[in-house]
Amino acid sequence: MYYNDFKDLKLSGLGLGCMRLPCIDGDDSRPDPQAVQEMVDYAMANGINYFDTARPYHGGKSELVLKEALTSRYPRESYVLTNKLSPGHFEKQEDIRPLVMEQLRICGVEYFDFYLMHALSAARIPHYRTTRAFEIAQELKAGKNAVAFMLGNGQGNPFWHALGYQGSFKTGKPIKGALELTAENGDQ
């Protein structure tokens, strides 16, 4: 396995995304705990240390099954965990902190290594702005009580290019508002 250095983390070149996990009887809201545990064990045994989840995945069950398969079974320093603030799961800024704290509890961790603004697009940027989502994530990061790193402005941040082009592959044009927003926050 090859690894990428980011700040004080070593990120595996491959990661395990938990959006489309094996399910019981084909029911997306019922991820198969045994199959997921086997996948996580295989990933960890083969040097994959980056895991990605989000509240909408598997009707909210992805976070829980990841706790059962990963966070309750492996030392915290052995993996990198990413979660996301997803549209449709918060309406106003007062919803964000409790949501993040609930995600931490369900995932069984004290912090997320990365916390991303999920499904960011030109149409969703106003919602993230009016709810102060970026500012609240920055505050959580500064207090080191939930988030280690969040989206940044490209100074060594591997998520910057994905952020700038997410949702715009059809036109090939970057979402200018997303780049401006991360630059305004000045996170690196």
Side-chain angles (χ1 to χ4, degrees):
M1 178 60 57
Y2 65 93
Y3 295 89
N4 296 298
D5 292 325
F6 180 81
K7 307 275 183 173
D8 59 341
L9 298 173
K10 277 205 163 311
L11 304 173
S12 56
L14 296 174
L16 180 62
C18 298
M19 181 173 153
R20 293 185 179 92
L21 297 170
C23 294
I24 298 169
D25 298 326
D27 182 350
D28 188 59
S29 68
R30 295 178 58 207
D32 183 334
Q34 182 61 39
V36 173
Q37 182 172 320
E38 290 172 15
M39 289 173 63
V40 166
D41 290 345
Y42 183 86
M44 292 293 286
N46 287 280
I48 295 173
N49 70 354
Y50 183 87
F51 296 84
D52 173 280
T53 189
R55 176 55 51 94
Y57 301 167
H58 296 283
K61 303 283 178 36
S62 173
E63 294 169 327
L64 181 60
V65 77
L66 198 56
K67 175 184 180 179
E68 295 167 358
L70 176 69
T71 69
S72 67
R73 299 176 56 243
Y74 288 92
R76 182 62 181 94
E77 67 277 1
S78 68
Y79 58 86
V80 175
L81 183 58
T82 294
N83 207 330
K84 303 172 190 82
L85 182 63
S86 301
H89 292 272
F90 67 101
E91 292 181 23
K92 55 192 182 299
Q93 74 182 50
E94 293 80 16
D95 298 337
I96 296 173
R97 283 180 195 275
L99 174 61
V100 173
M101 295 304 140
E102 180 182 8
Q103 289 175 297
L104 290 165
R105 182 185 59 75
I106 291 172
C107 287
V109 295
E110 292 182 12
Y111 64 93
F112 295 117
D113 297 289
F114 293 96
Y115 197 74
L116 309 179
M117 303 297 124
H118 197 191
L120 196 59
S121 67
R124 291 188 173 128
I125 288 172
H127 180 62
Y128 282 103
R129 283 183 187 231
T130 59
T131 59
R132 298 187 63 248
F134 282 91
E135 292 85 355
I136 292 169
Q138 278 287 66
E139 291 166 12
L140 290 168
K141 177 184 176 251
K144 296 188 184 341
N145 60 351
V147 177
F149 300 108
M150 61 166 283
L151 294 174
N153 67 358
Q155 301 299 314
N157 188 327
F159 298 108
W160 182 76
H161 292 290
L163 169 67
Y165 287 91
Q166 185 169 346
S168 63
F169 291 109
K170 290 180 184 174
T171 65
K173 296 178 183 175
I175 300 168
K176 184 177 179 186
L179 296 176
E180 290 170 347
L181 186 57
T182 57
E184 287 171 13
N185 286 318
D187 188 37
Q188 296 186 33

CSV table of all heavy atoms in Angstrom, one decimal, residues 11-67:
chain,number,residue,atom,x,y,z
A,11,LEU,N,-2.2,8.8,5.1
A,11,LEU,CA,-3.4,8.4,4.4
A,11,LEU,C,-3.1,7.3,3.4
A,11,LEU,O,-2.3,7.5,2.5
A,11,LEU,CB,-4.1,9.5,3.7
A,11,LEU,CG,-4.4,10.8,4.6
A,11,LEU,CD1,-4.9,11.9,3.7
A,11,LEU,CD2,-5.4,10.4,5.7
A,12,SER,N,-3.8,6.2,3.5
A,12,SER,CA,-3.6,5.1,2.5
A,12,SER,C,-4.1,5.6,1.2
A,12,SER,O,-5.0,6.4,1.1
A,12,SER,CB,-4.4,3.9,2.9
A,12,SER,OG,-5.7,4.1,3.1
A,13,GLY,N,-3.4,5.2,0.1
A,13,GLY,CA,-3.8,5.6,-1.3
A,13,GLY,C,-5.1,5.1,-1.7
A,13,GLY,O,-5.8,5.7,-2.5
A,14,LEU,N,-5.6,4.1,-1.0
A,14,LEU,CA,-7.0,3.6,-1.2
A,14,LEU,C,-7.8,3.8,0.1
A,14,LEU,O,-7.2,3.7,1.1
A,14,LEU,CB,-7.0,2.1,-1.6
A,14,LEU,CG,-6.3,1.8,-2.9
A,14,LEU,CD1,-6.3,0.2,-3.1
A,14,LEU,CD2,-7.0,2.4,-4.1
A,15,GLY,N,-9.0,4.0,-0.1
A,15,GLY,CA,-9.9,4.1,1.1
A,15,GLY,C,-11.1,3.2,1.0
A,15,GLY,O,-11.4,2.8,-0.1
A,16,LEU,N,-11.8,3.0,2.1
A,16,LEU,CA,-13.0,2.3,2.0
A,16,LEU,C,-14.2,3.2,2.3
A,16,LEU,O,-14.4,3.7,3.4
A,16,LEU,CB,-13.0,1.2,3.1
A,16,LEU,CG,-14.3,0.3,3.2
A,16,LEU,CD1,-14.5,-0.5,1.8
A,16,LEU,CD2,-14.2,-0.7,4.3
A,17,GLY,N,-15.0,3.5,1.2
A,17,GLY,CA,-16.2,4.3,1.3
A,17,GLY,C,-17.3,3.4,1.7
A,17,GLY,O,-17.5,2.3,1.3
A,18,CYS,N,-18.2,4.0,2.6
A,18,CYS,CA,-19.3,3.2,3.2
A,18,CYS,C,-20.6,3.6,2.7
A,18,CYS,O,-21.6,3.6,3.4
A,18,CYS,CB,-19.2,3.2,4.7
A,18,CYS,SG,-17.6,2.5,5.3
A,19,MET,N,-20.7,4.0,1.4
A,19,MET,CA,-21.9,4.4,0.8
A,19,MET,C,-22.7,3.3,0.2
A,19,MET,O,-23.9,3.3,0.3
A,19,MET,CB,-21.6,5.4,-0.3
A,19,MET,CG,-22.9,6.0,-1.0
A,19,MET,SD,-22.4,7.3,-2.1
A,19,MET,CE,-23.7,7.2,-3.3
A,20,ARG,N,-22.0,2.3,-0.3
A,20,ARG,CA,-22.7,1.1,-0.9
A,20,ARG,C,-22.1,-0.2,-0.3
A,20,ARG,O,-21.4,-0.9,-0.9
A,20,ARG,CB,-22.5,1.1,-2.4
A,20,ARG,CG,-23.2,2.3,-3.1
A,20,ARG,CD,-23.0,2.3,-4.6
A,20,ARG,NE,-23.7,3.4,-5.2
A,20,ARG,CZ,-23.2,4.6,-5.4
A,20,ARG,NH1,-21.9,4.8,-5.2
A,20,ARG,NH2,-23.9,5.5,-6.0
A,21,LEU,N,-22.6,-0.4,0.9
A,21,LEU,CA,-22.1,-1.6,1.6
A,21,LEU,C,-23.0,-2.8,1.3
A,21,LEU,O,-24.2,-2.6,0.8
A,21,LEU,CB,-22.2,-1.4,3.1
A,21,LEU,CG,-21.3,-0.3,3.7
A,21,LEU,CD1,-21.6,0.1,5.1
A,21,LEU,CD2,-19.8,-0.6,3.5
A,22,PRO,N,-22.5,-4.0,1.5
A,22,PRO,CA,-23.4,-5.2,1.3
A,22,PRO,C,-24.6,-5.1,2.3
A,22,PRO,O,-24.4,-4.7,3.4
A,22,PRO,CB,-22.5,-6.4,1.7
A,22,PRO,CG,-21.1,-5.9,1.8
A,22,PRO,CD,-21.2,-4.4,2.0
A,23,CYS,N,-25.8,-5.5,1.8
A,23,CYS,CA,-27.0,-5.4,2.6
A,23,CYS,C,-27.7,-6.7,2.7
A,23,CYS,O,-27.6,-7.6,1.9
A,23,CYS,CB,-27.9,-4.4,1.9
A,23,CYS,SG,-27.3,-2.7,2.0
A,24,ILE,N,-28.5,-6.8,3.7
A,24,ILE,CA,-29.3,-8.0,4.0
A,24,ILE,C,-30.5,-8.0,3.1
A,24,ILE,O,-31.3,-7.0,3.1
A,24,ILE,CB,-29.7,-8.1,5.4
A,24,ILE,CG1,-28.4,-8.2,6.3
A,24,ILE,CG2,-30.6,-9.3,5.7
A,24,ILE,CD1,-28.7,-8.1,7.8
A,25,ASP,N,-30.7,-9.0,2.3
A,25,ASP,CA,-31.9,-9.2,1.4
A,25,ASP,C,-32.0,-8.0,0.5
A,25,ASP,O,-33.2,-7.6,0.1
A,25,ASP,CB,-33.2,-9.4,2.2
A,25,ASP,CG,-33.2,-10.6,3.0
A,25,ASP,OD1,-32.6,-11.6,2.6
A,25,ASP,OD2,-33.8,-10.6,4.1
A,26,GLY,N,-30.9,-7.3,0.1
A,26,GLY,CA,-31.0,-6.2,-0.8
A,26,GLY,C,-31.6,-5.0,-0.3
A,26,GLY,O,-31.8,-4.0,-1.0
A,27,ASP,N,-31.9,-4.9,1.0
A,27,ASP,CA,-32.5,-3.8,1.7
A,27,ASP,C,-31.4,-2.8,2.0
A,27,ASP,O,-30.6,-3.0,3.0
A,27,ASP,CB,-33.3,-4.2,2.9
A,27,ASP,CG,-34.0,-3.1,3.6
A,27,ASP,OD1,-33.8,-1.9,3.3
A,27,ASP,OD2,-34.8,-3.4,4.5
A,28,ASP,N,-31.4,-1.6,1.3
A,28,ASP,CA,-30.3,-0.6,1.6
A,28,ASP,C,-30.3,-0.1,3.0
A,28,ASP,O,-29.2,0.4,3.4
A,28,ASP,CB,-30.5,0.6,0.6
A,28,ASP,CG,-29.4,1.5,0.6
A,28,ASP,OD1,-28.2,1.1,0.3
A,28,ASP,OD2,-29.6,2.7,0.9
A,29,SER,N,-31.4,-0.2,3.7
A,29,SER,CA,-31.4,0.3,5.1
A,29,SER,C,-30.9,-0.8,6.1
A,29,SER,O,-30.9,-0.5,7.3
A,29,SER,CB,-32.8,0.8,5.5
A,29,SER,OG,-33.7,-0.3,5.5
A,30,ARG,N,-30.4,-1.9,5.6
A,30,ARG,CA,-30.0,-3.0,6.5
A,30,ARG,C,-28.6,-3.5,6.0
A,30,ARG,O,-28.5,-4.6,5.5
A,30,ARG,CB,-31.0,-4.1,6.4
A,30,ARG,CG,-32.3,-3.8,7.0
A,30,ARG,CD,-33.3,-4.9,6.9
A,30,ARG,NE,-32.8,-6.1,7.6
A,30,ARG,CZ,-33.2,-7.3,7.3
A,30,ARG,NH1,-34.0,-7.6,6.3
A,30,ARG,NH2,-32.7,-8.3,8.0
A,31,PRO,N,-27.5,-2.7,6.3
A,31,PRO,CA,-26.2,-3.2,5.9
A,31,PRO,C,-25.9,-4.5,6.7
A,31,PRO,O,-26.3,-4.6,7.9
A,31,PRO,CB,-25.3,-2.1,6.4
A,31,PRO,CG,-26.1,-0.9,6.8
A,31,PRO,CD,-27.5,-1.4,6.9
A,32,ASP,N,-25.2,-5.4,6.1
A,32,ASP,CA,-24.9,-6.7,6.7
A,32,ASP,C,-23.7,-6.5,7.6
A,32,ASP,O,-22.5,-6.4,7.1
A,32,ASP,CB,-24.6,-7.7,5.5
A,32,ASP,CG,-24.3,-9.1,6.0
A,32,ASP,OD1,-23.9,-9.2,7.2
A,32,ASP,OD2,-24.5,-10.0,5.3
A,33,PRO,N,-23.9,-6.6,8.9
A,33,PRO,CA,-22.7,-6.3,9.8
A,33,PRO,C,-21.6,-7.3,9.6
A,33,PRO,O,-20.4,-6.9,9.7
A,33,PRO,CB,-23.4,-6.5,11.2
A,33,PRO,CG,-24.8,-6.4,11.0
A,33,PRO,CD,-25.1,-6.8,9.6
A,34,GLN,N,-21.9,-8.6,9.4
A,34,GLN,CA,-20.8,-9.6,9.2
A,34,GLN,C,-20.0,-9.3,8.0
A,34,GLN,O,-18.8,-9.3,8.0
A,34,GLN,CB,-21.4,-11.0,9.2
A,34,GLN,CG,-20.3,-12.1,9.1
A,34,GLN,CD,-19.4,-12.1,10.3
A,34,GLN,OE1,-19.8,-11.9,11.4
A,34,GLN,NE2,-18.1,-12.3,10.0
A,35,ALA,N,-20.7,-9.0,6.9
A,35,ALA,CA,-20.0,-8.7,5.6
A,35,ALA,C,-19.1,-7.4,5.7
A,35,ALA,O,-18.0,-7.4,5.2
A,35,ALA,CB,-21.0,-8.6,4.5
A,36,VAL,N,-19.7,-6.4,6.4
A,36,VAL,CA,-19.0,-5.2,6.6
A,36,VAL,C,-17.7,-5.4,7.5
A,36,VAL,O,-16.6,-4.9,7.2
A,36,VAL,CB,-19.9,-4.1,7.2
A,36,VAL,CG1,-19.1,-2.8,7.5
A,36,VAL,CG2,-21.0,-3.7,6.2
A,37,GLN,N,-17.9,-6.2,8.5
A,37,GLN,CA,-16.7,-6.5,9.4
A,37,GLN,C,-15.6,-7.2,8.6
A,37,GLN,O,-14.5,-6.9,8.7
A,37,GLN,CB,-17.2,-7.4,10.6
A,37,GLN,CG,-16.0,-7.7,11.5
A,37,GLN,CD,-16.5,-8.3,12.8
A,37,GLN,OE1,-17.6,-8.0,13.3
A,37,GLN,NE2,-15.7,-9.3,13.2
A,38,GLU,N,-16.0,-8.1,7.7
A,38,GLU,CA,-15.0,-8.8,6.9
A,38,GLU,C,-14.3,-7.8,5.9
A,38,GLU,O,-13.1,-7.9,5.7
A,38,GLU,CB,-15.7,-9.9,6.1
A,38,GLU,CG,-16.1,-11.1,6.9
A,38,GLU,CD,-17.0,-12.1,6.1
A,38,GLU,OE1,-17.0,-12.1,4.9
A,38,GLU,OE2,-17.6,-12.9,6.8
A,39,MET,N,-15.1,-6.9,5.4
A,39,MET,CA,-14.5,-5.9,4.5
A,39,MET,C,-13.5,-5.0,5.3
A,39,MET,O,-12.4,-4.7,4.8
A,39,MET,CB,-15.6,-5.0,3.9
A,39,MET,CG,-16.4,-5.7,2.8
A,39,MET,SD,-17.8,-4.7,2.3
A,39,MET,CE,-17.0,-3.3,1.5
A,40,VAL,N,-13.9,-4.6,6.4
A,40,VAL,CA,-13.1,-3.7,7.2
A,40,VAL,C,-11.8,-4.4,7.7
A,40,VAL,O,-10.7,-3.9,7.6
A,40,VAL,CB,-13.8,-3.1,8.5
A,40,VAL,CG1,-12.9,-2.5,9.5
A,40,VAL,CG2,-14.9,-2.1,8.0
A,41,ASP,N,-11.9,-5.7,8.1
A,41,ASP,CA,-10.8,-6.5,8.5
A,41,ASP,C,-9.8,-6.7,7.3
A,41,ASP,O,-8.6,-6.6,7.5
A,41,ASP,CB,-11.2,-7.8,9.0
A,41,ASP,CG,-11.9,-7.7,10.4
A,41,ASP,OD1,-11.8,-6.7,11.1
A,41,ASP,OD2,-12.5,-8.7,10.8
A,42,TYR,N,-10.4,-7.0,6.1
A,42,TYR,CA,-9.5,-7.1,4.9
A,42,TYR,C,-8.8,-5.8,4.6
A,42,TYR,O,-7.6,-5.8,4.3
A,42,TYR,CB,-10.4,-7.6,3.8
A,42,TYR,CG,-9.6,-7.8,2.5
A,42,TYR,CD1,-9.0,-9.1,2.3
A,42,TYR,CD2,-9.4,-6.9,1.6
A,42,TYR,CE1,-8.2,-9.3,1.2
A,42,TYR,CE2,-8.6,-7.1,0.4
A,42,TYR,CZ,-8.0,-8.3,0.2
A,42,TYR,OH,-7.3,-8.6,-0.9
A,43,ALA,N,-9.5,-4.7,4.7
A,43,ALA,CA,-8.9,-3.4,4.4
A,43,ALA,C,-7.8,-3.1,5.4
A,43,ALA,O,-6.7,-2.8,5.0
A,43,ALA,CB,-10.0,-2.3,4.5
A,44,MET,N,-8.0,-3.3,6.7
A,44,MET,CA,-7.0,-3.0,7.7
A,44,MET,C,-5.8,-3.9,7.5
A,44,MET,O,-4.7,-3.5,7.6
A,44,MET,CB,-7.6,-3.1,9.1
A,44,MET,CG,-8.6,-2.1,9.4
A,44,MET,SD,-8.0,-0.4,9.6
A,44,MET,CE,-7.1,-0.5,11.1
A,45,ALA,N,-6.1,-5.2,7.2
A,45,ALA,CA,-5.0,-6.2,7.1
A,45,ALA,C,-4.1,-5.9,5.9
A,45,ALA,O,-3.0,-6.3,5.8
A,45,ALA,CB,-5.5,-7.6,7.0
A,46,ASN,N,-4.7,-5.1,4.9
A,46,ASN,CA,-4.0,-4.8,3.7
A,46,ASN,C,-3.5,-3.4,3.6
A,46,ASN,O,-3.2,-2.9,2.5
A,46,ASN,CB,-4.8,-5.2,2.5
A,46,ASN,CG,-4.8,-6.7,2.3
A,46,ASN,OD1,-3.9,-7.3,1.8
A,46,ASN,ND2,-5.9,-7.3,2.8
A,47,GLY,N,-3.5,-2.7,4.7
A,47,GLY,CA,-2.9,-1.4,4.8
A,47,GLY,C,-3.9,-0.2,4.5
A,47,GLY,O,-3.4,1.0,4.5
A,48,ILE,N,-5.1,-0.5,4.3
A,48,ILE,CA,-6.1,0.6,4.0
A,48,ILE,C,-6.5,1.2,5.4
A,48,ILE,O,-7.0,0.4,6.2
A,48,ILE,CB,-7.3,0.1,3.2
A,48,ILE,CG1,-6.9,-0.3,1.8
A,48,ILE,CG2,-8.4,1.2,3.2
A,48,ILE,CD1,-8.0,-1.0,1.0
A,49,ASN,N,-6.3,2.5,5.6
A,49,ASN,CA,-6.6,3.1,6.9
A,49,ASN,C,-7.6,4.2,6.8
A,49,ASN,O,-7.9,4.8,7.8
A,49,ASN,CB,-5.3,3.5,7.6
A,49,ASN,CG,-4.7,4.7,6.9
A,49,ASN,OD1,-5.1,5.2,5.8
A,49,ASN,ND2,-3.6,5.2,7.5
A,50,TYR,N,-8.0,4.5,5.5
A,50,TYR,CA,-8.9,5.7,5.3
A,50,TYR,C,-10.4,5.2,5.1
A,50,TYR,O,-10.6,4.3,4.2
A,50,TYR,CB,-8.5,6.5,4.1
A,50,TYR,CG,-9.4,7.7,3.9
A,50,TYR,CD1,-9.1,8.9,4.5
A,50,TYR,CD2,-10.5,7.6,3.0
A,50,TYR,CE1,-9.8,10.0,4.3
A,50,TYR,CE2,-11.3,8.8,2.8
A,50,TYR,CZ,-11.0,9.9,3.5
A,50,TYR,OH,-11.7,11.0,3.3
A,51,PHE,N,-11.3,5.6,6.0
A,51,PHE,CA,-12.7,5.2,5.9
A,51,PHE,C,-13.6,6.4,5.9
A,51,PHE,O,-13.3,7.4,6.5
A,51,PHE,CB,-13.0,4.4,7.2
A,51,PHE,CG,-12.3,3.1,7.2
A,51,PHE,CD1,-11.0,3.0,7.8
A,51,PHE,CD2,-12.8,1.9,6.7
A,51,PHE,CE1,-10.3,1.9,7.8
A,51,PHE,CE2,-12.1,0.7,6.8
A,51,PHE,CZ,-10.8,0.7,7.3
A,52,ASP,N,-14.6,6.3,5.0
A,52,ASP,CA,-15.5,7.5,4.7
A,52,ASP,C,-16.9,7.1,4.9
A,52,ASP,O,-17.4,6.0,4.4
A,52,ASP,CB,-15.2,7.9,3.3
A,52,ASP,CG,-16.2,8.9,2.8
A,52,ASP,OD1,-17.3,8.6,2.4
A,52,ASP,OD2,-15.8,10.1,2.8
A,53,THR,N,-17.7,7.9,5.7
A,53,THR,CA,-19.1,7.6,5.9
A,53,THR,C,-19.9,8.9,5.8
A,53,THR,O,-19.2,10.0,5.8
A,53,THR,CB,-19.4,6.8,7.2
A,53,THR,OG1,-20.7,6.4,7.2
A,53,THR,CG2,-19.0,7.7,8.4
A,54,ALA,N,-21.2,8.9,5.9
A,54,ALA,CA,-22.0,10.1,5.9
A,54,ALA,C,-23.4,9.6,6.4
A,54,ALA,O,-23.8,8.5,6.2
A,54,ALA,CB,-22.1,10.7,4.6
A,55,ARG,N,-24.1,10.5,7.0
A,55,ARG,CA,-25.4,10.3,7.6
A,55,ARG,C,-26.4,9.7,6.6
A,55,ARG,O,-27.1,8.8,6.9
A,55,ARG,CB,-26.0,11.6,8.2
A,55,ARG,CG,-27.4,11.5,8.8
A,55,ARG,CD,-27.7,10.4,9.8
A,55,ARG,NE,-26.7,10.4,10.9
A,55,ARG,CZ,-26.9,11.0,12.0
A,55,ARG,NH1,-27.9,11.7,12.3
A,55,ARG,NH2,-26.0,10.8,13.0
A,56,PRO,N,-26.5,10.2,5.3
A,56,PRO,CA,-27.5,9.6,4.4
A,56,PRO,C,-27.2,8.2,4.0
A,56,PRO,O,-28.1,7.5,3.5
A,56,PRO,CB,-27.4,10.5,3.2
A,56,PRO,CG,-26.6,11.7,3.6
A,56,PRO,CD,-25.8,11.3,4.8
A,57,TYR,N,-26.0,7.7,4.1
A,57,TYR,CA,-25.7,6.4,3.6
A,57,TYR,C,-26.4,5.3,4.4
A,57,TYR,O,-26.4,5.2,5.6
A,57,TYR,CB,-24.2,6.1,3.7
A,57,TYR,CG,-23.3,7.0,2.9
A,57,TYR,CD1,-21.9,7.0,3.2
A,57,TYR,CD2,-23.8,8.0,2.0
A,57,TYR,CE1,-21.1,7.9,2.5
A,57,TYR,CE2,-22.9,8.8,1.3
A,57,TYR,CZ,-21.6,8.8,1.6
A,57,TYR,OH,-20.7,9.7,0.9
A,58,HIS,N,-27.1,4.5,3.6
A,58,HIS,CA,-27.9,3.3,4.2
A,58,HIS,C,-28.9,3.8,5.2
A,58,HIS,O,-29.0,3.2,6.3
A,58,HIS,CB,-26.9,2.3,4.7
A,58,HIS,CG,-26.1,1.6,3.7
A,58,HIS,ND1,-26.6,0.7,2.8
A,58,HIS,CD2,-24.8,1.8,3.3
A,58,HIS,CE1,-25.6,0.3,2.0
A,58,HIS,NE2,-24.5,1.0,2.3
A,59,GLY,N,-29.5,4.9,4.9
A,59,GLY,CA,-30.6,5.4,5.8
A,59,GLY,C,-30.1,5.7,7.2
A,59,GLY,O,-30.8,5.5,8.2
A,60,GLY,N,-28.9,6.1,7.3
A,60,GLY,CA,-28.3,6.5,8.6
A,60,GLY,C,-27.6,5.3,9.3
A,60,GLY,O,-27.0,5.5,10.4
A,61,LYS,N,-27.6,4.1,8.7
A,61,LYS,CA,-27.0,3.0,9.3
A,61,LYS,C,-25.5,2.8,9.0
A,61,LYS,O,-24.8,2.0,9.7
A,61,LYS,CB,-27.8,1.7,8.9
A,61,LYS,CG,-29.2,1.7,9.2
A,61,LYS,CD,-29.5,1.5,10.7
A,61,LYS,CE,-30.9,1.5,11.1
A,61,LYS,NZ,-31.9,1.0,10.2
A,62,SER,N,-25.0,3.5,8.0
A,62,SER,CA,-23.6,3.3,7.7
A,62,SER,C,-22.7,3.7,8.9
A,62,SER,O,-21.7,3.0,9.2
A,62,SER,CB,-23.2,4.2,6.5
A,62,SER,OG,-21.8,4.2,6.2
A,63,GLU,N,-23.0,4.8,9.6
A,63,GLU,CA,-22.2,5.2,10.7
A,63,GLU,C,-22.2,4.2,11.8
A,63,GLU,O,-21.2,3.8,12.4
A,63,GLU,CB,-22.8,6.5,11.3
A,63,GLU,CG,-22.6,7.7,10.3
A,63,GLU,CD,-23.4,8.9,10.8
A,63,GLU,OE1,-24.5,8.8,11.4
A,63,GLU,OE2,-22.9,10.1,10.5
A,64,LEU,N,-23.4,3.6,12.1
A,64,LEU,CA,-23.5,2.6,13.1
A,64,LEU,C,-22.7,1.3,12.8
A,64,LEU,O,-22.0,0.7,13.6
A,64,LEU,CB,-25.0,2.3,13.4
A,64,LEU,CG,-25.2,1.3,14.5
A,64,LEU,CD1,-24.6,1.8,15.8
A,64,LEU,CD2,-26.7,1.0,14.7
A,65,VAL,N,-22.9,0.8,11.6
A,65,VAL,CA,-22.2,-0.4,11.2
A,65,VAL,C,-20.7,-0.2,11.1
A,65,VAL,O,-19.9,-1.1,11.4
A,65,VAL,CB,-22.8,-1.0,9.9
A,65,VAL,CG1,-22.3,-0.3,8.7
A,65,VAL,CG2,-22.5,-2.5,9.8
A,66,LEU,N,-20.3,1.0,10.8
A,66,LEU,CA,-18.8,1.3,10.8
A,66,LEU,C,-18.3,1.3,12.3
A,66,LEU,O,-17.2,0.8,12.5
A,66,LEU,CB,-18.6,2.6,10.2
A,66,LEU,CG,-17.1,2.9,9.7
A,66,LEU,CD1,-16.6,1.8,8.8
A,66,LEU,CD2,-17.0,4.2,9.1
A,67,LYS,N,-19.1,1.7,13.2
A,67,LYS,CA,-18.7,1.6,14.6
A,67,LYS,C,-18.6,0.2,15.0
A,67,LYS,O,-17.6,-0.2,15.7
A,67,LYS,CB,-19.8,2.3,15.5
A,67,LYS,CG,-19.5,2.1,17.0
A,67,LYS,CD,-20.7,2.7,17.8
A,67,LYS,CE,-20.4,2.6,19.3
A,67,LYS,NZ,-21.5,3.1,20.1
